[in-house]
Amino acid sequence: MCHSVSFSLSLQPSLTNTDIMFVKIHAPWDTLCKYAEQMNIRMPFRKKWYFTDWKCKTMGSRFHLRCRQIKSWLPKNPMKLDKEALPDLEETDCYTAPFSRARMHHFTINNRETFFSNSTRSRIVHHVLQRTKYEDGKSKMGINRLLGNGTYEAAFPPHEGGYKSRHSIKTHGAQNHRHLLYERWARWGMWYKYQPLDLIRRYFGEKIGLYFAWLGWYTGMLIPAALVGLFVFLYGFLTMDTSQVSKEICEANTTIMCPMCEENCNPWKLSDSCVYAKVTHLFDNGGTVFFAIFMAIWATVFLEFWKRRRAELTYDWDLIDWEEEEENLRPQFEAKYSRVERVNPISGKPEPFQPLTDKLSRLMVSVSGIFFMISLVLTAVFAVVVFRLIAMEKFASFDWEFVKKNWQFATSGTGVCINFMIIMSLNVVYEKVAYLLTNLEHPRTESEWENSFALKMFLFQFVNLNSSTFYIAFFLGRFAGRPGKYNKLFNRWRLEECHPSGCLIDLCLQMGVIMVLKQIWNNFMELGYPLLQNWWSRRKIKQTERTERKGGRENVDSKVQLPQWDKDWNLQPMNAHGLVDEYLEMVLQFGFTTIFVAAFPLAPLLALLNNIIEIRLDAYKFVTQWRRPMPARATDIGIWHGILEAIGVLAVITNAFVIAITSDYIPRFVYAFKYGPCVDKGYHHENRCLHGYMNSSLSVFDMGQHRNQNKTEQIRYCRYRDYRAPPWSTVPYDFTLQFWHVLAARLAFIIVFEHLVFGIKSFIAYLIPDMPKDLCDRMRREKYLMQEMMYEAELEHLQQERKKNGRRYHHEWP
């Protein structure tokens, strides 16, 4: 396959499996230089000392010296990695320029073996392998096609060595970059340290480096959100016993509530739900609106500052002028449309072409499949709703008094657990369906395939994860009806009602349980599953060695150290979908953290704790459990940025509706200003102005001569949560004026909240430029310096050449 290029090949049989033969490819210096020039790879350029530290000259060295003295007196930041712990990466301290063999003397080449890093070498080799023909024919080209037809089992760059050492890294140093990454990044003891992004980029490539940079940035930005959410939760906890609503519920020993089911259920006292009311106040208090506005602004600030951070990274990693190479067509695309060709407007060469009608028809089938899977999700949610209705009746009439008293917790808890099992089961189905639908579309290139697959996976899992949450937030208790005229599902089960203190606690329980269980499951699948697979592979190798020794065949000496490629072969390959699963998990978490954050202020804290673990889990997985992935370049996080912005917009809308409809903030607000004892006195004290709120929010129903089974007294009237006229009114059970006031206030709040937050978000986005001004100045300065240095270096080289030849020296440009 590689006869047309000057690669050296060698065959090496596996020491652990005689059926495996390794083909090792080595690229010599001349070949690396040739393709580095073709690929416009930027390499460290020779730098003149008098061009450095120009800021010091303009701002004054005394000022900088004073700043350094003050900085030396301050305690060191424990999160920063020691400079001694990391090697001095040459390209980070030098200007870079596109490599050129004609001007090779301009570049800093101290050692030919290390001038091109291992990741750069791997990228060059992979670039050549993708474009080399192995047989005659248009489509007989590229390593990917050979992998697809089974000629080769795998193609991967080897790790740089072992990740562990007998000696301490502090005394003996790192034996290779993999060892260094493990000690300074992947170990659990480094959880509080910043990530060595330059080293990650050097070892794994810019695409994976950008993922970890984004993940670290997202985790760092979660710290203020988690602190504010914790303060809101603590405020609810500290005011839980003094809340007027909770006190009225806990003291309502004489308030009789209507039965929760038609059969075997008795009227119950409102005071029986005292604990439920107090727990509700933890999440539905005065800080809810503030926190919702804060998180909407936080999402905008996070994305805007990530743009700036990304700009800095692309500058530091020499990606500013990098343009994505024209990708090769996918072998499946070539095979399908090889008969129809058109000229590529970029390369000018004929290539297979997908007709528009074929593309649209396949897209329609794919969209239909997406809607079918979404309808399957809604069917599963409907099944959970039916289960909750059945469970509600059973728990409300349960023989065990503890369960009967806490039937609402029992109903919500069992419903959430069953919903979680359905979610995780359907996720497996969705991945296979998304894979089939994406292949059915026949995307032209791998990046198009990855974007299409990522969008489908996000839509499937987002709907799957949040559909039941949307039901609880906006539909639970809205259509239950009233006593004597309840709405029933299939004329059998009464629809679920909200607690007198609101539905927000059900939403909170749904979010908390699913978020915690999903994070635990994901972490197990990310690390536990590869660990078990690798353990099983090592176990099979040991069993094979024992069998061969017993049979008298000493093919593998236990004392012989396995070569690195043999060790890497026994590791797990990187996920076939690349970083899609990694991004998908974090983007779904971002949605959970922002969309319903008004109902669960602890969501950012749980996300922060999970991400601290997630960074080290992913680091450990990449360094120790996976084969080294092929280094790839990228300038951004791709389609995920657009998805994050869409989630930020959706979060504003959903939080407005959660506060207005799900929580009791608006009804309490209307009562305090319109119906409470402080109407004529002004709004001064929350608890004082909410006195009598609970009684105002409960309506009266005439049960007739209903005899309680446990008591001899007769109960005629019971209370239920609604704003309706009493039975003795001239228009019994009609909506009262307070109902319409609350409804109008809710609609007004939604409009004001959305316009206010969207205005603030737009203003912040306008104020924060995508690229820091300092970075723009540095880029212009570097461009100027590069021209000067190129001139000086070329002139110096010309002078040396003329001196060697004995020619006269003139100050002129050659």
Side-chain angles (χ1 to χ4, degrees):
M1 174 177 175
C2 299
H3 295 302
S4 60
V5 293
S6 54
F7 282 161
S8 61
L9 304 180
S10 63
L11 298 179
Q12 181 75 40
S14 172
L15 298 182
T16 59
N17 189 340
T18 55
D19 295 331
I20 300 296
M21 179 70 71
F22 292 100
V23 180
K24 298 187 295 180
I25 302 177
H26 174 72
W29 170 255
D30 292 337
T31 303
L32 291 173
C33 293
K34 173 184 175 182
Y35 286 100
E37 183 175 8
Q38 288 185 10
M39 297 169 65
N40 284 325
I41 295 178
R42 299 179 71 91
M43 299 304 296
F45 191 75
R46 186 176 300 162
K47 186 171 67 171
K48 298 289 185 180
W49 285 108
Y50 55 83
F51 289 122
T52 63
D53 299 330
W54 61 280
K55 281 190 175 182
C56 293
K57 296 179 180 180
T58 57
M59 298 180 67
S61 59
R62 291 184 180 179
F63 174 74
H64 279 269
L65 183 61
R66 185 63 57 86
C67 289
R68 288 176 185 173
Q69 289 177 348
I70 296 174
K71 211 171 185 180
S72 64
W73 298 336
L74 297 175
K76 291 183 179 180
N77 186 353
M79 299 175 69
K80 284 187 177 181
L81 289 166
D82 297 332
K83 289 185 178 179
E84 295 79 13
L86 296 174
D88 184 20
L89 303 179
E90 292 180 359
E91 63 267 29
T92 60
D93 294 330
C94 295
Y95 292 119
T96 58
F99 185 78
S100 170
R101 286 178 293 175
R103 296 181 173 180
M104 193 180 296
H105 51 277
H106 294 173
F107 296 90
T108 309
I109 307 177
N110 297 324
N111 187 345
R112 287 189 174 188
E113 297 296 324
T114 59
F115 179 67
F116 295 107
S117 65
N118 284 344
S119 62
T120 303
R121 289 168 177 261
S122 299
R123 193 153 54 88
I124 292 174
V125 172
H126 189 252
H127 172 86
V128 176
L129 293 180
Q130 282 183 314
R131 290 158 176 79
T132 303
K133 285 189 175 183
Y134 55 89
E135 287 182 13
D136 293 333
K138 292 182 179 179
S139 61
K140 306 294 185 180
M141 181 173 66
I143 185 65
N144 290 340
R145 183 171 288 277
L146 290 173
L147 292 171
N149 62 25
T151 303
Y152 290 101
E153 289 287 335
F156 57 90
H159 280 293
E160 294 186 4
Y163 63 89
K164 286 187 177 180
S165 175
R166 298 178 183 176
H167 308 291
S168 171
I169 193 173
K170 293 182 179 179
T171 57
H172 291 74
Q175 55 187 13
N176 54 61
H177 282 166
R178 189 189 185 195
H179 179 215
L180 186 64
L181 280 171
Y182 175 76
E183 291 290 338
R184 301 303 181 193
W185 180 47
R187 281 195 310 112
W188 296 108
M190 308 302 291
W191 66 270
Y192 63 96
K193 294 284 190 181
Y194 292 138
Q195 299 182 90
L197 294 177
D198 288 333
L199 190 60
I200 297 170
R201 168 248 180 172
R202 183 183 178 92
Y203 194 82
F204 291 111
E206 287 79 4
K207 191 172 185 179
I208 293 176
L210 268 177
Y211 163 72
F212 281 105
W214 176 83
L215 180 56
W217 184 259
Y218 171 45
T219 304
M221 288 293 291
L222 278 172
I223 294 176
L227 290 176
V228 175
L230 183 61
F231 288 147
V232 171
F233 176 79
L234 291 177
Y235 169 77
F237 179 78
L238 295 175
T239 58
M240 184 171 56
D241 294 327
T242 60
S243 168
Q244 182 64 28
V245 177
S246 300
K247 285 198 298 184
E248 289 187 2
I249 292 177
C250 293
E251 295 171 359
N253 296 318
T254 58
T255 303
I256 305 301
M257 303 298 293
C258 296
M260 295 307 302
C261 61
E262 302 295 326
E263 300 175 1
N264 303 322
C265 291
N266 299 320
W268 52 286
K269 292 181 180 180
L270 181 59
S271 58
D272 291 343
S273 59
C274 176
V275 175
Y276 202 89
K278 288 184 176 180
V279 174
T280 300
H281 181 74
L282 288 175
F283 305 99
D284 189 5
N285 52 65
T288 303
V289 178
F290 161 75
F291 189 56
I293 296 175
F294 171 82
M295 286 303 295
I297 297 172
W298 172 88
T300 302
V301 172
F302 160 65
L303 291 174
E304 292 301 319
F305 275 97
W306 163 248
K307 293 178 185 177
R308 294 166 64 88
R309 176 61 176 156
R310 185 197 67 84
E312 292 175 352
L313 287 174
T314 53
Y315 168 77
D316 292 337
W317 293 352
D318 296 319
L319 297 171
I320 293 292
D321 298 325
W322 179 76
E323 294 182 2
E324 195 166 348
E325 301 170 6
E326 179 67 15
E327 289 188 80
N328 286 345
L329 300 179
R330 298 181 71 241
Q332 296 87 339
F333 182 87
E334 288 182 326
K336 181 69 178 177
Y337 302 105
S338 58
R339 296 181 180 179
V340 182
E341 288 188 346
R342 75 165 185 178
V343 176
N344 187 310
I346 298 175
S347 63
K349 298 178 181 178
E351 67 176 19
F353 171 68
Q354 183 181 17
L356 181 61
T357 53
D358 182 81
K359 188 173 185 177
L360 289 177
S361 61
R362 291 180 179 277
L363 192 60
M364 289 299 295
V365 173
S366 181
V367 171
S368 302
I370 293 173
F371 278 109
F372 173 77
M373 295 306 298
I374 291 177
S375 65
L376 184 62
V377 176
L378 299 179
T379 304
V381 172
F382 181 76
V384 173
V385 171
V386 173
F387 168 81
R388 288 175 65 105
L389 298 180
I390 299 173
M392 179 184 69
E393 286 192 1
K394 298 299 181 184
F395 288 134
S397 58
F398 211 71
D399 293 334
W400 189 10
E401 187 64 26
F402 177 77
V403 176
K404 186 176 181 179
K405 191 174 182 180
N406 298 281
W407 61 269
Q408 288 165 313
F409 278 118
T411 302
S412 298
T414 52
V416 170
C417 292
I418 290 177
N419 186 36
F420 174 75
M421 289 188 287
I422 293 175
I423 287 172
M424 301 313 295
S425 301
L426 289 178
N427 278 348
V428 179
V429 179
Y430 294 153
E431 184 172 351
K432 297 183 182 300
V433 172
Y435 190 82
L436 290 174
L437 291 178
T438 307
N439 285 335
L440 180 66
E441 294 175 8
H442 285 297
R444 180 174 170 273
T445 62
E446 287 296 334
S447 62
E448 290 179 9
W449 188 97
E450 186 175 313
N451 288 338
S452 178
F453 179 76
L455 184 59
K456 291 182 182 63
M457 285 296 293
F458 170 75
L459 288 175
F460 288 161
Q461 294 208 20
F462 180 81
V463 175
N464 188 29
L465 193 65
N466 292 286
S467 54
S468 56
T469 312
F470 271 92
Y471 162 75
I472 293 175
F474 305 127
F475 297 99
L476 179 64
R478 311 296 166 206
F479 310 101
R482 62 171 178 82
K485 198 178 179 181
Y486 280 114
N487 297 321
K488 295 184 178 181
L489 186 64
F490 304 132
N491 292 322
R492 169 66 181 86
W493 296 291
R494 208 173 91 185
L495 295 182
E496 211 172 342
E497 295 180 75
C498 288
H499 185 266
S501 58
C503 279
L504 202 67
I505 187 62
D506 295 277
L507 180 59
C508 174
L509 187 63
Q510 172 84 10
M511 290 185 61
V513 172
I514 288 183
M515 192 170 186
V516 171
L517 291 180
K518 192 173 187 301
Q519 288 178 349
I520 293 174
W521 176 258
N522 286 340
N523 289 336
F524 169 76
M525 291 302 294
E526 282 195 11
L527 183 62
Y529 188 63
L531 279 173
L532 290 174
Q533 286 182 313
N534 290 334
W535 170 81
W536 183 252
S537 298
R538 291 193 299 269
R539 186 172 180 271
K540 287 198 299 184
I541 291 172
K542 291 180 180 179
Q543 286 181 343
T544 304
E545 291 177 6
R546 293 193 193 101
T547 304
E548 290 179 347
R549 289 196 188 99
K550 288 180 181 178
R553 292 174 298 171
E554 294 288 342
N555 288 341
V556 180
D557 190 351
S558 59
K559 296 182 180 179
V560 174
Q561 181 72 24
L562 289 177
Q564 190 58 49
W565 49 86
D566 233 328
K567 293 179 181 178
D568 291 354
W569 168 251
N570 294 313
L571 296 177
Q572 297 302 309
M574 185 180 174
N575 195 308
H577 309 137
L579 293 171
V580 170
D581 289 342
E582 311 298 332
Y583 277 116
L584 179 63
E585 179 187 352
M586 290 295 102
V587 169
L588 289 173
Q589 184 205 82
F590 178 80
F592 237 62
T593 305
T594 55
I595 291 178
F596 292 104
V597 74
F600 191 48
L602 291 180
L605 178 62
L606 292 179
L608 173 64
L609 296 176
N610 174 80
N611 287 6
I612 291 173
I613 298 172
E614 178 75 20
I615 290 176
R616 305 305 156 181
L617 272 179
D618 285 347
Y620 186 82
K621 181 174 60 180
F622 271 92
V623 173
T624 69
Q625 300 302 307
W626 278 359
R627 296 173 192 161
R628 189 176 183 179
M630 190 64 64
R633 307 202 91 185
T635 57
D636 54 29
I637 60 176
I639 195 174
W640 300 107
H641 191 274
I643 293 175
L644 289 171
E645 289 186 332
I647 290 175
V649 172
L650 181 62
V652 176
I653 300 171
T654 53
N655 281 304
F657 277 88
V658 165
I659 295 170
I661 296 176
T662 311
S663 79
D664 263 14
Y665 176 80
I666 299 299
R668 291 197 301 263
F669 184 84
V670 171
Y671 178 81
F673 277 91
K674 185 68 178 175
Y675 298 94
C678 299
V679 173
D680 300 327
K681 302 175 184 178
Y683 187 70
H684 299 295
H685 193 275
E686 179 182 1
N687 290 340
R688 189 177 302 169
C689 295
L690 288 176
H691 184 74
Y693 165 76
M694 208 66 243
N695 184 63
S696 173
S697 64
L698 297 176
S699 299
V700 180
F701 175 68
D702 185 1
M703 294 191 298
Q705 298 297 322
H706 177 79
R707 180 174 294 276
N708 193 318
Q709 297 177 1
N710 298 328
K711 297 183 179 180
T712 58
E713 60 181 300
Q714 293 181 347
I715 302 174
R716 179 163 183 174
Y717 298 108
C718 67
R719 310 295 296 273
Y720 61 99
R721 176 185 167 90
D722 210 341
Y723 296 102
R724 291 181 182 269
W728 53 81
S729 172
T730 55
V731 281
Y733 306 119
D734 274 7
F735 288 118
T736 62
L737 184 61
Q738 188 174 355
F739 169 83
W740 299 109
H741 284 162
V742 170
L743 180 61
R746 282 174 166 163
L747 295 177
F749 175 84
I750 291 172
I751 295 173
V752 171
F753 182 90
E754 288 184 356
H755 282 72
L756 174 65
V757 176
F758 277 132
I760 295 174
K761 283 169 66 72
S762 302
F763 183 65
I764 291 175
Y766 172 77
L767 285 181
I768 303 175
D770 293 348
M771 186 176 291
K773 184 179 183 302
D774 178 63
L775 180 60
C776 294
D777 294 339
R778 283 159 56 193
M779 290 172 58
R780 286 195 291 265
R781 175 68 177 174
E782 179 174 339
K783 187 176 181 180
Y784 168 76
L785 291 179
M786 284 301 301
Q787 294 174 349
E788 292 291 318
M789 285 189 288
M790 291 286 285
Y791 173 82
E792 291 291 335
E794 193 67 30
L795 187 60
E796 181 181 345
H797 178 68
L798 182 65
Q799 291 173 356
Q800 292 175 354
E801 290 293 322
R802 286 178 171 173
K803 285 181 179 178
K804 287 181 182 178
N805 298 330
R807 295 183 182 179
R808 217 172 146 188
Y809 166 68
H810 298 282
H811 292 281
E812 59 182 16
W813 178 253

